[in-house]
Amino acid sequence: MPKQIVHDAHKEHPLVFHDDGFRFRCDGCNCYGVGARYRCAACDFDLHELCATCQPTAPFSFHGHGQHPLTFERTVFPEDPRRCDLCAALIKGMHYRCRPCDFDVHPICSQLPSAALSPLHPAHLLVLTMAAPAKCTRCSTDCLWRYRCVPCEVNLHPRCLLGTEQTPLNIPKGK
């Protein structure tokens, strides 16, 4: 990783790489993060390492949307209110988008594992799926994208898997 970068999202000063274990809110995608980030201390401006180094298109290996390439965009909020199709949070900045399918995802959410373990359901591995609406086991609201245990009929929103304050990358991956 380069120690310092210049980024279009913050042209005033260079951003310096930090990996100090502190919690922050990314000024690019508005999602929480912990640890590795690019930071301008003078402006209190932070970008996830991933948001600072996003490619113009998402990797084709992204399991959440394989029909078309996802293009990196910046949303002007609140004029263009969009929600991440995976975590359901409002998108207030950088994201990947598929215009033909009207599919939007935070860069950090595009890194969600295809399967995860959860203390809410330790018996089985939960698999990220999209299907007809079903009640989330944790919050009782409907979810399309969810981590699911088929035998136990457990469904968890990605944001409910470990709690709303967790960064999706902190979800433990299955073996």
Side-chain angles (χ1 to χ4, degrees), residues 88-151:
L90 280 171
I91 292 175
K92 298 180 180 178
M94 296 186 275
H95 66 287
Y96 284 110
R97 177 164 175 71
C98 174
R99 288 190 177 272
C101 298
D102 197 29
F103 179 86
D104 302 283
V105 62
H106 292 113
I108 203 80
C109 291
S110 74
Q111 301 299 303
L112 284 168
S114 58
L117 302 171
S118 173
L120 296 174
H121 186 69
H124 301 107
L125 193 63
L126 300 164
V127 178
L128 183 61
T129 59
M130 196 276 264
K135 296 279 184 217
C136 174
T137 303
R138 182 167 188 222
C139 72
S140 297
T141 62
D142 281 343
C143 51
L144 294 173
W145 282 96
R146 58 190 170 261
Y147 281 95
R148 178 163 176 73
C149 174
V150 175

Side-chain angles (χ1 to χ4, degrees), residues 23-41:
R23 185 171 182 260
F24 64 94
R25 182 182 277 271
C26 176
D27 290 292
C29 69
N30 267 327
C31 293
Y32 286 102
V34 176
R37 68 190 184 280
Y38 281 92
R39 176 168 179 69
C40 174

Side-chain angles (χ1 to χ4, degrees), residues 1-2 15 43 49 77 83 99 105 109 127 141-142 151-152 156:
M1 280 292 116
L15 302 175
C43 301
E49 180 181 357
F77 184 81
R83 289 196 177 270
R99 288 190 177 272
V105 62
C109 291
V127 178
T141 62
D142 281 343
C152 301
L156 293 168

Side-chain angles (χ1 to χ4, degrees), residues 3-7 10-18 38-43 45:
K3 297 241 184 238
Q4 185 172 298
I5 63 169
V6 176
H7 198 279
H10 188 74
K11 296 177 182 176
E12 296 82 359
H13 306 106
L15 302 175
V16 179
F17 183 75
H18 288 267
Y38 281 92
R39 176 168 179 69
C40 174
C43 301
F45 183 91

